[in-house]
Amino acid sequence: MKLKRLSFTFFNFAIGFFAIAIITIFITLSSQKVSTQLFKSHLNFLENQRFYSYINEIKNISILLDNLQYNLSYTCDLNDVTELEKISYYSPQIASIQLTTHSGKKCSDHRDRSSLYSHPLQYIPLDPQIMLIANKNNSQSILQYNKNIIGGTITVDIVQQPNNPLLTKLPKNSWLQMIEGNQTTLFTGDPTSAISKIFSNEHVRGDIQNIIEPILTMSLNNKAWLKYYSTPTVINTYRAQIQPYLLLLLALFTSAFIFLCYRRYHSASIIKFLVENAIKQNHLIPYYQAIVDANKQQICGYEVLIRWETKKGKVIFPDEFIPQCETNGVITPLTFQLINTVAKDIRKLEMLHQGKPLPYYFSINLSASVIQDPKLVEITRNALQHYKVKAHNLAFELTERAPIKDIELASHVCQKLNDMGIQIKLDDVGNGYCDFLALQKLQATTIKIDKIFIDELDCNNKNSIVSSLVAFADKAEVEVVAEGVETTEQAECLLTMGIHYHQGFLYSKPQPFTNILKIYQSKNVI
């Protein structure tokens, strides 16, 4: 059994994303400026696709012409015409094809090519082999490809690519395409439209181009400029066309937002219910890990580590449910129950010790919210009195998972615990929210060095973080416990640094109380 919910980080990211998306959609639906910018981006994307489709057509035609050149006699006889007709017929991307031999002879696939072009000829070269030519009505540009082959030159007019799909859905008289280059201007659009007539008028064309801004300007091979002009009808029509899609996205994003909120709330509620139920059924079991005086090789205390034992016997580790307990506020009743359970276990051991107080302390982890709860003092006092346990047998470790919001209130609670004889320890110092201000305010008597620093321990480095913590502890007159000691090398290194209280797998793994009880019964020592 592994309990999970949406992480706080992911939830914030998702909420932010959907909020921005929803706001953007609302602005697009209501703002002419945003709609215009969206239209520009959409038009630019589709025009780039059309341009590169032409480039790919040219590459394919070039390969066909490489093969064709070996089938021609370059005399423009019937065989050459047949070969030209054949390649034109079987190549849908070719509108017309013409051969010009080195001797000046010309032949084609018998299409009237001259009738296609405007007179006088208007063209814009894009490179030495490719040019744009205005058609007879100057209502579209023809892409022409010239390739030098063995016996002459092949000229191919490439079939016009389908119009930009974005423009086909707009009123025909609402837009105009203009291609400028080589001191030539080619137009594409409805020649009867008002906007076309304006630009076609030689007397006003120069002034109008300075007044009317193109809605899109795009470079073609750095040799020409493709420009689109439009009337306000274009944006209004475009907004009407995309509105259903935007509303659909709005519905999807809103649904996703609601789902995330529901899932977060529902997941948190389930976890809270399960933990509360586990508390009632005593399924949250304390495990005990020995804290050893490495100089004397004797146990001096235990850290209490909570485990969740399910009905099926599976053990859930605290990292999987404690953060949710802290978020949901369940950590406080969990901790209060744990204090009573630990006090009860201590009393059982004392009974085997002929009722004498034990020479060990049992350290219970406290989250920041619990240390700020005044009820902690009352719960602890009642547990000690009920089970007749001495205060020195109990200690509290402040964990690092969250900061203390009210340090003065926490200090007041710790002062009352100290007055009772209960020690306060700071857990995972150097790797969390437990800082040296907390050490002073909470009157802690012990600091515990996090395992991450023990893993990177280097006895040859006198300026390590561990060395700094030891130096600080000496000045502050507090004890130091090293957590996560797993090798003899680490233990020996810590001893040379003056740290003789160790905790880790080298000495003992966390064990349920039944194991501790058996060891004590057999050896009369914990």
Side-chain angles (χ1 to χ4, degrees):
M1 180 179 180
K2 188 171 183 177
L3 296 176
K4 286 187 177 181
R5 63 177 176 85
L6 290 178
S7 69
F8 182 76
T9 302
F10 174 77
F11 180 78
N12 279 354
F13 171 80
I15 289 297
F17 170 80
F18 289 127
I20 292 172
I22 291 170
I23 292 171
T24 302
I25 292 173
F26 273 120
I27 293 175
T28 305
L29 288 170
S30 59
S31 170
Q32 183 86 4
K33 187 175 181 179
V34 174
S35 298
T36 302
Q37 188 59 47
L38 184 61
F39 176 79
K40 287 181 180 180
S41 301
H42 196 176
L43 183 63
N44 183 70
F45 172 75
L46 294 176
E47 281 301 315
N48 272 292
Q49 282 189 325
R50 291 182 75 236
F51 180 72
Y52 287 111
S53 294
Y54 275 122
I55 299 301
N56 288 331
E57 295 287 0
I58 292 171
K59 291 179 180 177
N60 294 332
I61 291 172
S62 180
I63 295 171
L64 292 174
L65 298 183
D66 287 339
N67 297 324
L68 174 66
Q69 64 181 331
Y70 300 107
N71 299 328
L72 299 174
S73 62
Y74 300 99
T75 59
C76 277
D77 58 7
L78 182 59
N79 178 69
D80 284 352
V81 173
T82 301
E83 288 296 330
L84 293 176
E85 289 178 341
K86 186 188 300 183
I87 193 171
S88 177
Y89 180 79
Y90 288 108
S91 304
Q93 67 267 39
I94 296 176
S96 66
I97 184 168
Q98 176 179 283
L99 168 65
T100 303
T101 68
H102 289 321
S103 61
K105 293 182 178 180
K106 293 184 178 182
C107 53
S108 69
D109 57 354
H110 293 298
R111 301 182 189 183
D112 186 7
R113 300 177 70 251
S114 61
S115 64
L116 297 175
Y117 308 136
S118 63
H119 299 284
L121 184 66
Q122 298 185 70
Y123 67 92
I124 299 174
L126 298 183
D127 73 11
Q129 293 179 294
I130 305 172
M131 66 176 60
L132 290 169
I133 303 175
N135 72 342
K136 187 175 182 179
N137 298 324
N138 198 13
S139 61
Q140 70 177 33
S141 55
I142 300 171
L143 190 67
Q144 190 176 88
Y145 173 56
N146 297 280
K147 183 178 178 67
N148 295 323
I149 56 176
I150 295 174
T153 303
I154 292 285
T155 301
V156 177
D157 291 338
I158 297 174
V159 170
Q160 183 83 9
Q161 286 285 333
N163 283 336
N164 190 313
L166 189 61
L167 300 175
T168 58
K169 300 176 182 180
L170 300 173
K172 291 183 178 181
N173 61 352
S174 63
W175 61 272
L176 173 69
Q177 182 195 78
M178 177 188 295
I179 303 176
E180 296 178 338
N182 192 35
Q183 298 181 340
T184 301
T185 301
L186 309 180
F187 295 94
T188 298
D190 184 356
T192 64
S193 68
I195 193 168
S196 295
K197 289 178 180 179
I198 290 174
F199 280 99
S200 298
N201 190 320
E202 295 290 343
H203 299 290
V204 299
R205 182 189 299 175
D207 293 335
I208 290 295
Q209 291 191 63
N210 293 328
I211 297 172
I212 302 176
E213 289 290 333
I215 196 170
L216 174 66
T217 301
M218 190 177 90
S219 173
L220 298 178
N221 231 32
N222 296 321
K223 297 292 184 180
W225 290 98
L226 171 65
K227 297 181 179 180
Y228 274 99
Y229 294 86
S230 68
T231 64
T233 306
V234 167
I235 304 303
N236 294 333
T237 305
Y238 179 71
R239 289 175 66 186
Q241 290 171 351
I242 65 173
Q243 186 176 28
Y245 301 101
L246 293 176
L247 292 174
L248 177 61
L249 285 176
L250 181 63
L252 291 175
F253 289 151
T254 304
S255 298
F257 176 82
I258 294 173
F259 172 75
L260 285 177
C261 292
Y262 170 77
R263 184 179 171 186
R264 181 179 176 88
Y265 171 79
H266 186 64
S267 178
S269 299
I270 290 176
I271 293 172
K272 182 177 181 180
F273 169 78
L274 292 175
V275 173
E276 288 176 342
N277 192 53
I279 293 173
K280 292 178 182 178
Q281 298 182 5
N282 294 318
H283 287 165
L284 297 173
I285 310 298
Y287 273 50
Y288 298 88
Q289 185 175 29
I291 300 172
V292 177
D293 185 335
N295 275 333
K296 301 177 180 178
Q297 289 296 306
Q298 291 181 354
I299 296 174
C300 57
Y302 290 91
E303 180 179 1
V304 182
L305 303 168
I306 194 72
R307 299 290 187 267
W308 186 346
E309 293 186 354
T310 67
K311 293 180 179 180
K312 296 182 178 180
K314 185 174 181 179
V315 176
I316 304 175
F317 289 90
D319 289 344
E320 298 182 38
F321 65 91
I322 290 297
Q324 287 84 357
C325 291
E326 292 177 333
T327 302
N328 297 330
V330 186
I331 191 66
T332 299
L334 187 156
T335 304
F336 290 169
Q337 185 192 68
L338 186 63
I339 291 171
N340 279 277
T341 303
V342 172
K344 183 179 180 180
D345 289 346
I346 294 173
R347 184 57 184 171
K348 289 179 180 178
L349 293 177
E350 286 182 346
M351 295 301 293
L352 294 175
H353 201 249
Q354 298 179 351
K356 297 178 181 179
L358 298 176
Y360 319 108
Y361 66 85
F362 293 78
S363 189
I364 299 173
N365 290 315
L366 296 182
S367 68
S369 60
V370 179
I371 200 69
Q372 297 171 87
D373 192 333
K375 291 183 180 179
L376 174 64
V377 177
E378 180 183 354
I379 293 294
T380 303
R381 182 183 291 110
N382 291 341
L384 294 178
Q385 292 176 352
H386 180 76
Y387 294 103
K388 300 179 181 179
V389 173
K390 299 296 182 182
H392 72 264
N393 290 132
L394 204 60
F396 290 129
E397 291 182 20
L398 180 61
T399 58
E400 84 294 349
R401 281 183 291 267
I404 299 174
K405 296 180 181 179
D406 191 339
I407 190 68
E408 296 300 329
L409 176 58
S411 175
H412 181 68
V413 172
C414 289
Q415 179 62 56
K416 289 189 174 182
L417 293 173
N418 280 328
D419 292 342
M420 291 169 55
I422 296 176
Q423 295 185 353
I424 304 297
K425 306 175 186 294
L426 297 187
D427 195 14
D428 298 336
V429 170
N431 190 35
Y433 290 101
C434 294
D435 55 17
F436 300 128
L437 174 63
L439 180 67
Q440 179 183 14
K441 285 283 188 179
L442 305 182
Q443 303 179 38
T445 59
T446 305
I447 62 174
K448 300 186 75 174
I449 301 177
D450 188 74
K451 181 181 184 297
I452 190 174
F453 301 117
I454 306 303
D455 290 340
E456 300 174 357
L457 195 61
D458 182 4
C459 282
N460 296 322
N461 184 5
K462 302 301 182 183
N463 297 319
S464 66
I465 294 178
V466 176
S467 299
S468 300
L469 291 173
V470 171
F472 170 80
D474 288 341
K475 291 183 179 180
E477 297 182 349
V478 295
E479 294 179 346
V480 179
V481 177
E483 294 183 303
V485 182
E486 297 180 350
T487 66
T488 54
E489 291 78 10
Q490 290 174 337
E492 291 172 359
C493 181
L494 290 168
L495 285 172
T496 60
M497 299 174 72
I499 303 175
H500 58 91
Y501 292 117
H502 300 175
Q503 178 183 348
F505 285 2
L506 177 64
Y507 304 98
S508 173
K509 293 183 178 181
Q511 304 178 69
F513 181 70
T514 52
N515 289 11
I516 301 294
L517 198 59
K518 289 178 182 178
I519 294 172
Y520 186 83
Q521 289 172 334
S522 61
K523 297 183 178 181
N524 197 28
V525 65
I526 301 177

